[in-house]
């Protein structure tokens, strides 16, 4: 039974008291003592590739709690003080793989502690790019990537998604460089920049970038940050961003974060995007010239509700972030670009879901929505199909009313799968036994595979593309296919539906006709290279090497290395040679993914 003081401490996040909300990826013990606010004062040093300064933590502790446990991953901690400057005892525990080290601080009654520290050497959340790896080639650039649990390598706090924290920062940057963060800018034009996030956020959303960065407004509350050399193309690709925000608000309520800016980073950024509040981080591969990848921006924007506003309490429930966001992204795309475009993308989600289910045949448990945080990912596509099916069963108006209310009821709070199902039963099912059976909620949430009521949205545009794939597979020449109206998504469907075994002559025909090896669209080029590598197509090797040494997005890099390694004597030397050249340009997350593949290949 919780005593009154502890219950008050946890009132901002009562779900943290439930068994399902225990975060096994963190050392924190939030029922005893939890961080409620972080104030950073850091200096950026490119020479040593370190951030140095202090983190001042506000602490809410239960009666009788003598210590607070923080997360660290290689932090160099010099001293810990209370608010009056009195030293506090602390210990750093043994390192645990994929988790880091616990830092236990004796509070001695303190409700505010100051940690003097330096970020970890080779901090997993930070990438320090030399000028040669930036667009402008003149100044270095730093950026962070905190999700899921990497921010503990540069911030000593409780690095768990359920332990939401307000925060501020004072950043001293080298002369001539600009610091931006995922918070409201409070002033400073260099070398000192100040920021404040008054809304409590999960700590993985604290983000920083420092470099030769410039800004352009794209609307009353939207804009883009990037290097000067990238700004014109990035701004042109993002002309619809204000429309996306308005469409999202019309669907599920007000945008609660002030401005919505995006930061377009150099190619080393390991993901498509990262939904840092107020400042989405984006890969430059979204710049295709035809705005076909704007759905990536819609996805990160949608996280402003599903993920940033209502957050999975633990990574075992990451589908509450990603599945909901993928569905919401599709609804934004429909509102701005029409139902036909949305159906194309939803049908491609279904393709990806079938692939993930097939890949998991050896271990179906990884296809559960609520599951082991390290088991695998079906969060995006199975999670979104849960909501597509939910919509199909109860109707869009009813689904939208519930979802908007859900975001309001749980705003700025963590959530679990059990909590979600309770909310659905309270506000939608309302004791209707027949509806409960039709929705099959527990099977969706806790069982592997797909329930029988899973809903598949079929795109007629993709039906036509499938006919083209079938025709080519049956012997038709590439020149007979009319690709002029195709979007990037249709190209992906075409390439992915082709037989995985092709002759050199057939690959020559494709490449000669459509110039796939020379494509400037990274999505299309990647899909083509996967087919080429699978067939040991020597003519594509120059394009392959150019791609792997100029793109750092993990989903467009790691699968190509795995495909090369599977090709034995033909592919392994290529993988080794290209990786030796490209490694320095990859983020630590991408490096880890590639090296896992190489280690697995060498042991097989």
């Amino acid at each position: 039974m919780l005593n009154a003081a502890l219950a008050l401490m946890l009132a901002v996040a009562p779900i943290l008291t439930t068994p399902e909300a225990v975060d096994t990826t963190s050392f924190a013990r939030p029922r005893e003592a939890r961080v409620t606010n972080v104030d950073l004062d850091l200096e950026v040093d490119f020479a040593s590739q370190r951030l140095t300064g202090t983190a001042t933590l506000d602490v809410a502790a239960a009666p009788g709690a003598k210590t607070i446990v923080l997360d660290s991953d290689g932090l160099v901690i010099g001293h810990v003080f209370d608010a009056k400057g009195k030293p506090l005892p602390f210990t750093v525990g043994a390192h645990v793989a994929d988790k880091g080290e616990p830092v236990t601080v004796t509070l001695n009654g303190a409700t505010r502690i100051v940690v003097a520290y330096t970020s970890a050497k080779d901090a997993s959340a930070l990438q320090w790019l030399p000028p040669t790896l930036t667009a402008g080639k003149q100044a270095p650039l730093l950026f962070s990537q905190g999700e899921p649990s990497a921010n503990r390598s540069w911030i000593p706090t409780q690095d768990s998604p359920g332990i939401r924290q307000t925060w501020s920062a004072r950043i001293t940057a080298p002369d001539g460089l600009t610091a931006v963060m995922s918070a409201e800018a409070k002033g400073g034009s260099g070398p000192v920049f100040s920021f404040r996030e008054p809304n409590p956020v999960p700590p993985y959303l604290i983000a920083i970038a420092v470099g030769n960065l410039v800004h352009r407004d794209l609307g009353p509350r939207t804009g883009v940050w990037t290097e000067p050399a990238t700004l014109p193309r990035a701004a042109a690709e993002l002309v619809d961003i204000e429309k996306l925000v308005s469409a999202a608000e019309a669907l599920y309520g007000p945008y609660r974060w002030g401005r919505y800016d995006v930061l377009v980073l150099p190619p080393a950024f390991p993901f498509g995007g990262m939904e840092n509040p107020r400042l989405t981080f984006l890969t430059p591969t979204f710049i295709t010239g035809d705005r076909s990848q704007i759905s990536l921006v819609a996805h990160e924007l949608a996280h402003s509700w599903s993920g940033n506003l209502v957050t999975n309490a633990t990574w075992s429930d990451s589908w509450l972030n990603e599945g909901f966001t993928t569905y919401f992204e599709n609804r934004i795309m429909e509102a701005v670009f029409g139902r036909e475009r949305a159906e194309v993308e939803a049908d491609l989600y279904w393709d990806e879901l079938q692939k993930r289910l097939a890949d998991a045949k050896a271990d179906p448990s990884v296809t559960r929505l609520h599951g082991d945080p390290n088991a695998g990912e079906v969060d995006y596509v199975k999670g979104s199909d849960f909501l597509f099916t939910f919509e199909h069963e109860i109707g869009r108006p009813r689904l939208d009313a519930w979802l908007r209310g859900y975001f309001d009821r749980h705003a700025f709070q963590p959530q679990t799968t059990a909590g979600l199902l309770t909310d659905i039963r309270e506000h939608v099912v309302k004791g209707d036994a027949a509806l409960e059976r039709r929705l099959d909620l527990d099977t969706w949430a806790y069982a592997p595979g797909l329930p029988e009521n899973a809903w598949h949205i079929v795109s007629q545009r993709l039906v036509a593309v499938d006919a083209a794939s079938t025709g080519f597979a049956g012997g038709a020449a590439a020149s007979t296919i009319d690709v002029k109206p195709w979007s990037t998504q249709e190209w992906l469907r075409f390439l992915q539906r082709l037989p995985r075994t092709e002759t050199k002559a057939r690959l020559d025909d494709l490449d000669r006709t459509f110039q796939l090896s020379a494509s400037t669209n990274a999505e299309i080029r990647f899909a083509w290279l996967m087919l080429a590598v699978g067939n040991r197509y020597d003519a594509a090797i120059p394009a392959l090497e150019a791609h792997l040494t100029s793109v750092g997005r993990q989903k467009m890099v790691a699968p190509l290395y795995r495909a090369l390694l599977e090709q034995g004597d033909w592919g392994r030397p290529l993988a080794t040679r290209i990786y030796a050249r490209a490694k320095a340009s990859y983020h630590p997350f991408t490096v880890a993914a590639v090296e896992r593949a190489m280690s697995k290949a060498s042991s097989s």
Side-chain angles (χ1 to χ4, degrees), residues 448-465:
L450 271 185
E452 292 182 359
N453 67 339
W455 184 245
H456 175 199
I457 294 175
V458 178
S459 162
Q460 293 306 309
R461 277 174 57 180
L462 292 185
V463 168
V465 173

Side-chain angles (χ1 to χ4, degrees), residues 77-90:
I77 299 176
H79 304 280
V80 181
F81 304 94
D82 66 14
K84 296 180 179 179
K86 182 178 179 180
L88 295 174
F90 72 93

Side-chain angles (χ1 to χ4, degrees), residues 110-129:
T111 58
R112 171 170 283 197
I113 63 175
V114 182
V115 182
Y117 73 101
T118 298
S119 64
K121 176 177 170 48
D122 301 323
S124 60
L126 304 178
Q127 185 157 22
W128 303 82
L129 297 178

Side-chain angles (χ1 to χ4, degrees), residues 350-394:
W350 181 265
D351 272 4
E352 179 65 18
L353 176 55
Q354 300 312 304
K355 180 180 182 301
R356 289 184 180 273
L357 293 172
D359 290 345
K361 283 183 177 178
D363 183 9
S365 67
V366 301
T367 65
R368 294 178 302 163
L369 288 177
H370 171 76
D372 181 344
N374 300 310
E377 292 185 2
V378 294
D379 305 339
Y380 296 76
V381 284
K382 184 178 176 181
S384 62
D385 202 63
F386 167 81
L387 286 170
F388 283 125
T389 303
F390 198 1
E391 177 190 328
H392 177 69
E393 294 287 353
I394 69 172

Side-chain angles (χ1 to χ4, degrees), residues 167 180-186 195-201 205 215 221-225 241 255-263 274-281 300-301 303-304 308 412:
W167 64 279
V180 296
M181 296 191 79
S182 54
E184 181 183 0
K186 303 300 290 185
F195 306 90
R196 177 65 182 157
E197 179 48 70
N199 298 315
V201 298
L205 292 177
H215 182 267
R221 55 182 168 172
T222 55
V224 56
W225 285 95
I241 192 171
Y255 177 77
R256 309 188 199 206
W257 305 91
R259 287 192 61 83
Y260 182 69
D261 288 322
V262 301
L263 169 65
M274 180 61 210
E275 64 270 18
N276 301 310
R278 305 176 191 264
L279 186 64
T280 282
F281 285 16
E300 305 310 332
L301 168 64
H303 269 302
S304 301
N308 298 3
F412 302 111

Side-chain angles (χ1 to χ4, degrees), residues 407-426:
F407 290 135
D408 287 340
R409 285 188 293 276
H410 303 284
F412 302 111
Q413 296 176 20
Q415 181 61 286
T416 64
T417 293
L420 168 76
L421 298 188
T422 296
D423 192 277
I424 292 173
R425 287 175 170 128
E426 179 178 350

